[in-house]
Amino acid sequence: MNGEASSPVNGIRQEAFKAFEGMEFPTIKHEEWKFTNVQKLVKNHYSFSQETKLSADEVSNAFIEGIEGDRIVFINGIFSEEHSSISASGLTVKSLAQAFKENKDVVEAHFGQESNLEESTFAKANTALSKDGIFIHVPKGKAIEKPISLYFLSDAKNEAIATTPRNLIVAEENSQVTVIEVFKTIGENQSLANNVTEISVANHAIVDYYKVQNEASQASIIDCTKVIQGKESHFTGTTISLKGDIIRNNLDITLDGEHLDSYMHGLYLLDGTTHVDNHTAVDHKYPNCHSNELYKGIVDDKSRGVFNGKIFVRQDAQKTNAFQNNRNIVLSDDAKVNTKPQLEIWADDVSCSHGCTIGQMDEEALFYLQARGISKTRSKAMLMNAFAGEVVEKIKVEGLRTYIETLIEERLHA
Amino acid sequence: MLSIKNLQAQIEDKQILKGLNLEVKPGEIHAIMGPNGAGKSTLASVLSGREEYEVTGGSVEFDGKDILELDPHERAGEGLFLAFQYPVEIPGVSTTNFMKAAVNEVRKYRGQEELTAVDFLKMMKEKMKTVDMPQDLINRSLNEGFSGGEKKRNEIFQMAMLEPKLCVLDETDSGLDIDALRIVANGVNQYKSKDNAFIVITHYQRLLDYIVPDFVHVLHDGKIVKSGTKELALELEEKGYDWIKEEVAQ
Ligand SMILES: Nc1ncnc2c1ncn2[C@@H]1O[C@H](COP(=O)(O)OP(=O)(O)OP(=O)(O)O)[C@@H](O)[C@H]1O
Ligand SMILES: [Mg+2]
C-alpha cells in the first residue's frame, strides 16, 4: 500500500508512517490473527483513496430506506459534500480533514489519544495514510434526536480500491447521539476499507453506535473502533455482519469512570465464503461498572465466524458486573466457528460470567414446527429468526431494525 | 381412516416396532397402553414422520393415502395431529405467530383460504376458551417456561386450532393435576365428533374415565399383543402387564 501523509496533524502521522514502513502486517502465526489470514488482502494492489464521482442513483441505492436523520457520504474515503445532508443543529458534523483546521482544540484533545492504538499495524497504516473521515462533536448537554448515518462507499467499478477512513466522535458531558455506519462497495473489483474510529463518551453521555456490514462479496473491512467512556455514561455498540470477503472488527472499550454501562451486541449471519472475525475487549478500570456482551452467529456454506472476547477487570474495579455470551449455529459441514472468551480478573469482588456455544439447529424444535404443518424451510427460517431476534430486537432505531429484519428474512428464505 | 399393517420401524439400527397392526375408523377412540419402552411414542413419531425413525416394513394408509411418503408438514395438512409427550420449548417464537403460520399453512394445504388477522384472532379466542388457555400464555414464546400442565393444555389448544381428523395424544395426561386433567379431557370431548378419531396413549385409567375409549390395545415389545374394550384398561390397572407378557410368551 502506498500513500502520502498530507495532514495537518503531521506530528502523529509522520511517526506512524515511518513505523508502518518498518512493520509487517500480521500473519496467522500472530495470536490475535490466528483464524483470519489478511496476507492476500494486503498483498493485493489497490488504488488508494482515488477521487471519483458517483451518480445520485448509485449513492442513494446504498442508502437504508426508512432511517431518519442526516446522511454523510464518503466516496473512496473522501467526504462528498454533494451527496451529504447536514441539517441537524446544535452539533458539529464535518469532515475530519476540515476539523483539523477549524476545530483544532477538540480534535487534538481526542485524536490518537488511546495509548495502545498504534500497537496494530492496520491502525498505524490508517494514521499514516488516512486523508479523511468524519468528525462529530456533540456539545455538553445536547441530545441529538435523529441518528446520523455514515455511508462509506467504495467505487470499485474500474479498479480495486483501498480506503482508510479515520473518524472521530466526541460526545461531551451529558450529551446523546446515535450513529449508524455503513460500508458499501459499488462495482465488481475488490475493495479494502482499513477503518479507524475513535469515540469519546464523556461523563453522563449516551452513545449508540451501529455498524452495518452487508458488503459486496469481494469487499473487505478491517475495522478498529476505540471507545473511551467516562463515569455514568452509556455506550452500546452493535455490529451486524451479513456479507463480505474478510471482515475483521476490533472493538475496544475502556471504562474510564465509575457507574457506567457498556453494551456490545453482535450478529453475524454468514453464507458463501464470507469470513467475519469479531475481536472485542472491554477494560474495567474503575469500580461499580457494568458491561454486557451478546454476540450471536449463524454460519452456512463455507463461511466462518470468529469471536474473541476479552474482559479485563483491574484490581481497583471492585463490584464489577461483566457478562459475555457468544452463541453460534453451524448449518453446514464446511462452515466453521472459532470462539474464545478471555477473562483476566485482578479484582476479587466481582460478578463475571461468560459462555459460548456452538451447535446445530435444534432438531426437536424443527420437528415440532413441521408436525404442525409448517414446511421444513419455513420452520428453519422461523427458528433462525428467533435466534437472531434476540440481537435484532435490541436495535433501537426502528428503520434500521426493520431493514435488518428484512435482510434476514430474505437470507433465510433463499 | 387409519390402517396400519405389519409396521416395522427402527432407530439407530435398533428394531422398535416389530409388525404392528391397527385399524381406526371415524368416530372411534382407541387407547394404547403398555409398559415403558414398548414403542408407544415410537409409533406416534413414525406416524407423524420423524426422520430419525426408519420404516423397514409394512404400510400406513390414512384416508386411503400412503402417508409414509409424505413430509411431516404434509401429514399435518392431511389432518394428522400429534400431541407430544414432551412438547419442546422454542424461545423467540411467539405462540401467536407460530399458531398463525401453522393454521394458514394447513389451510393452504387443504385448499382453504388463509385467515385474515381478524378472523384468526376470533378463532384463537374461541379455541382458547375450550381449554381455559390464559391470554398470558399465548403472549409468551412457544412453551417457554410453561409448566408441565400448561404445555399439555397448549397441545390440546393447538389441536383445536388445526382441526385434524386423527389425533394422537401421547401421554397428554402425565403431569396433570385433577383439575387440569378435567380441562384437557373436556377440550378433547368438545372436539370429538363422528368424523374424527383419537388414539390416546396413556398409562392410567384416570384419563380414560373422562375420555372413554371404544377400544383398548396393549402394545408390548413393538407389537399390539392384546385388544379389548374399555374393561381391559381396568383390568390392566388392577393387574399390571405381567400376565399379558406371560400370555405372549406362551
Ligand atoms: N434415539 C434412540 N436411540 C435408541 N433407542 C431409542 C431411541 N429413542 C427411543 N429408543 C428406544 O426405543 C424404545 C421405545 O421407546 P418409546 O419412547 O417408543 O417407548 P414408550 O412406549 O413410549 O415408553 P414410555 O411409556 O416410557 O413413554 C425404548 O427402548 C427406547 O429406549
Ligand atoms: Mg412414550
Side-chain angles (χ1 to χ4, degrees), chain A residues 199-391:
Chain A
I199 302 172
S200 165
V201 188
N203 298 346
H204 300 275
I206 303 173
V207 174
D208 282 353
Y209 200 92
Y210 296 92
K211 292 172 186 291
V212 181
Q213 302 171 332
N214 186 30
E215 258 289 14
S217 56
Q218 77 287 4
S220 293
I221 303 169
I222 308 289
D223 180 74
C224 174
T225 297
K226 294 265 181 191
V227 183
I228 181 156
Q229 281 189 255
K231 71 170 189 215
E232 292 179 44
S233 65
H234 290 253
F235 174 79
T236 306
T238 304
T239 307
I240 311 283
S241 312
L242 299 172
K243 190 121 202 118
D245 182 6
I246 293 175
I247 297 176
R248 164 68 175 242
N249 294 307
N250 298 288
L251 174 61
D252 293 355
I253 308 182
T254 304
L255 309 188
D256 205 25
E258 281 197 59
H259 293 288
L260 59 79
D261 290 291
S262 198
Y263 293 90
M264 288 155 279
H265 302 146
L267 175 69
Y268 39 102
L269 202 62
L270 314 179
D271 61 5
T273 56
T274 297
H275 180 115
V276 171
D277 177 346
N278 282 298
H279 265 63
T280 66
V282 55
D283 189 357
H284 284 261
K285 293 168 84 167
Y286 289 86
N288 298 309
C289 291
H290 165 234
S291 71
N292 204 327
E293 175 165 32
L294 175 68
Y295 272 66
K296 295 181 95 172
I298 302 177
V299 296
D300 200 355
D301 300 335
K302 293 181 170 175
S303 63
R304 189 189 262 205
V306 180
F307 175 83
N308 179 294
K310 295 184 181 67
I311 299 176
F312 303 107
V313 182
R314 311 267 167 170
Q315 202 163 4
D316 290 340
Q318 300 296 354
K319 308 271 182 212
T320 285
N321 279 303
F323 306 106
Q324 182 189 88
N325 201 345
N326 174 233
R327 296 206 272 143
N328 299 280
I329 294 180
V330 180
L331 293 179
S332 80
D333 290 345
D334 294 327
K336 259 195 211 133
V337 167
N338 303 96
T339 173
K340 185 179 175 193
Q342 245 176 293
L343 277 62
E344 290 180 31
I345 298 168
W346 294 284
D348 44 38
D349 183 13
V350 301
S351 160
C352 285
S353 78
H354 67 93
C356 50
T357 57
I358 303 174
Q360 271 87 39
M361 180 78 80
D362 181 347
E363 294 291 334
E364 298 277 332
L366 191 59
F367 181 70
Y368 190 86
L369 299 181
Q370 287 175 268
R372 296 295 177 254
I374 304 169
S375 71
K376 192 170 188 175
T377 318
R378 182 147 182 218
S379 299
K380 270 189 184 170
M382 280 175 82
L383 293 179
M384 287 193 276
N385 241 328
F387 179 82
E390 200 188 345
V391 175

Side-chain angles (χ1 to χ4, degrees), chain A residues 46 54 58 61-62 74-76 151-163 182-193 212-221 243-245:
Chain A
Y46 300 98
L54 288 174
E58 285 174 315
N61 280 342
F74 287 80
I75 300 173
N76 287 356
Y151 290 92
F152 294 96
L153 309 181
S154 290
D155 178 3
K157 291 198 294 289
N158 302 316
E159 56 190 337
I161 291 291
T163 61
V182 181
F183 279 86
K184 196 86 202 167
T185 296
I186 296 154
E188 301 294 311
N189 290 293
Q190 283 190 300
S191 76
L192 170 64
V212 181
Q213 302 171 332
N214 186 30
E215 258 289 14
S217 56
Q218 77 287 4
S220 293
I221 303 169
K243 190 121 202 118
D245 182 6

Side-chain angles (χ1 to χ4, degrees), chain B residues 76-89:
Chain B
E78 291 290 339
L80 187 73
F81 181 88
L82 167 63
F84 286 82
Q85 183 173 1
Y86 306 108
V88 271
E89 302 196 7

Side-chain angles (χ1 to χ4, degrees), chain B residues 42 60 67 76 92 101 136 138 163 167 175 180 185 195 225 230 236 245:
Chain B
T42 302
V60 180
I67 60 158
D136 74 291
I138 298 284
E163 303 181 328
C167 309
D195 300 317
V225 294
K230 59 178 196 258
L236 290 170
K245 289 179 189 169

